[in-house]
Amino acid sequence: DPKIIQKPKYLVAVTGSEKILICEQYLGHNAMYWYRQSAKKPLEFMFSYSYQKLMDNQTASSRFQPQSSKKNHLDLQITALKPDDSATYFCASSQDRGQGYAEQFFGPGTRLTVL
Amino acid sequence: GDSVTQTEGLVTVTEGLPVKLNCTYQTTYLTIAFFWYVQYLNEAPQVLLKSSTDNKRTEHQGFHATLHKSSSSFHLQKSSAQLSDSALYYCALWGAKLTFGGGTRLTVRP
């Protein structure tokens, strides 16, 4: 059974629309993250959450909003979509964000295409 | 902030020959950990190696790396490359957060 679920696997959206990317982890981890991967920037950190609290935000745009309704959920809402937002978005989790050795496990990703 | 540099964007090697992927870093944190992640085509990144001990060799799946704090490096090596090693490799540093290098795409040709 998959330990980190991301839905949908593929997503096509029109410019200006809003989408929500879903992430659920069943590893019992306390920290969750979002990353973005595109041709321009191979793997880019976006957000980190620990115990459902935002710990770090490296995304300049407020169009990207993480949402944590449960400890093992971290969704990503993207508003006013632009073609430059086209990328694969990975969710990841780790046992504890504070530990220097906290290995992060990645979900399968959601490939977003904005037309 | 932290930074990780992978000097080669693309590396091509013939099967059976050794391969080395370079990784250097800059950080202000004293307690740090290092990872090599591998990403196969259309898959998620996954940890290949991890280390936080200076001058200690770490091995997994035929790959090895040694953290050298004196030279700020954590190069990845393998003595004999296999076709199945073709993938995208990321070096990553954990300081305040996980910082990835730009990635090196390794292609192993027959």
Side-chain angles (χ1 to χ4, degrees), chain A residues 62-80:
Chain A
S62 60
R63 296 186 299 107
F64 295 85
Q65 291 293 327
Q67 300 170 344
S68 181
S69 59
K70 299 179 183 179
K71 176 185 172 182
N72 68 326
H73 283 230
L74 185 63
D75 301 335
L76 181 64
Q77 179 185 39
I78 313 174
T79 59

Side-chain angles (χ1 to χ4, degrees), chain A residues 40-82:
Chain A
K40 297 178 182 178
K41 294 186 179 181
L43 198 56
E44 178 187 8
F45 170 83
M46 300 180 71
F47 300 97
S48 70
Y49 266 66
S50 181
Y51 294 92
Q52 292 188 266
K53 293 184 179 180
L54 178 65
M55 303 303 292
D56 196 0
N57 177 359
Q58 294 294 320
T59 304
S61 174
S62 60
R63 296 186 299 107
F64 295 85
Q65 291 293 327
Q67 300 170 344
S68 181
S69 59
K70 299 179 183 179
K71 176 185 172 182
N72 68 326
H73 283 230
L74 185 63
D75 301 335
L76 181 64
Q77 179 185 39
I78 313 174
T79 59
L81 279 161
K82 302 177 180 180

Side-chain angles (χ1 to χ4, degrees), chain A residues 85-110:
Chain A
D85 297 331
S86 297
T88 299
Y89 291 81
F90 288 104
C91 174
S93 70
S94 64
Q95 179 61 41
D96 187 333
R97 178 189 173 277
Q99 291 182 356
Y101 220 84
E103 178 178 338
Q104 292 187 17
F105 296 83
F106 283 73
T110 291

Side-chain angles (χ1 to χ4, degrees), chain B residues 25-62:
Chain B
Y25 66 90
Q26 287 187 315
T27 181
T28 57
Y29 286 87
L30 295 178
T31 302
I32 51 176
F34 287 87
F35 301 85
W36 274 100
Y37 277 81
V38 59
Q39 186 177 17
Y40 299 105
L41 188 62
N42 296 324
E43 294 187 13
Q46 56 184 294
V47 170
L48 176 63
L49 288 175
K50 55 188 177 184
S51 177
S52 62
T53 306
D54 197 12
N55 297 314
K56 180 180 179 181
R57 176 172 163 140
T58 300
E59 298 189 38
H60 186 61
Q61 295 183 351

